[in-house]
Amino acid sequence: FSLDTHFLFHGQFAHVYRVVEKSTRTEYAAKFIKKKRVESSRRGVAREDIQKEIHILAEMEHVNIIYLHQVYESGQQVILVLEL
């Protein structure tokens, strides 16, 4: 994916960007969620809460709801790629 620098949304623990898949030129929304480094931290989102969001998005099947396309994880964040 290539990253378009245009924010679609930003919050305290996540930022959403418009991204383009290089091979197909398909546009997606990518939600970058900052993970908590330690459970007692007030910064970031708990792993359990991220897993719940992934599960809910993966189960959704409705024309008016965004579909979860792919999930990536790096050291400090989880990236949810969503079909627009």
Side-chain angles (χ1 to χ4, degrees):
F1 289 93
S2 63
L3 183 64
D4 182 344
T5 58
H6 178 70
F7 272 123
L8 296 178
F9 169 82
H10 60 93
Q12 185 173 2
F13 301 117
H15 297 280
V16 180
Y17 294 90
R18 181 181 302 125
V19 295
V20 178
E21 187 173 31
K22 290 179 181 180
S23 61
T24 64
R25 304 297 301 157
T26 304
E27 289 189 6
Y28 295 96
K31 183 175 183 179
F32 291 73
I33 304 170
K34 183 188 289 187
K35 296 187 298 187
K36 276 190 177 184
R37 293 183 189 201
V38 291
E39 283 302 313
S40 61
S41 174
R42 298 182 79 194
R43 303 183 128 233
V45 178
R47 178 102 177 123
E48 180 179 299
D49 292 334
I50 294 171
Q51 288 295 81
K52 285 179 188 177
E53 182 169 354
I54 291 169
H55 178 73
I56 290 168
L57 287 169
E59 296 294 318
M60 294 293 175
E61 291 187 29
H62 190 277
V63 296
N64 294 330
I65 297 177
I66 293 173
Y67 289 97
L68 180 64
H69 177 71
Q70 190 75 298
V71 177
Y72 298 98
E73 185 170 355
S74 70
Q76 295 180 8
Q77 61 189 358
V78 173
I79 304 165
L80 307 180
V81 180
L82 308 164
E83 293 182 13
L84 298 173

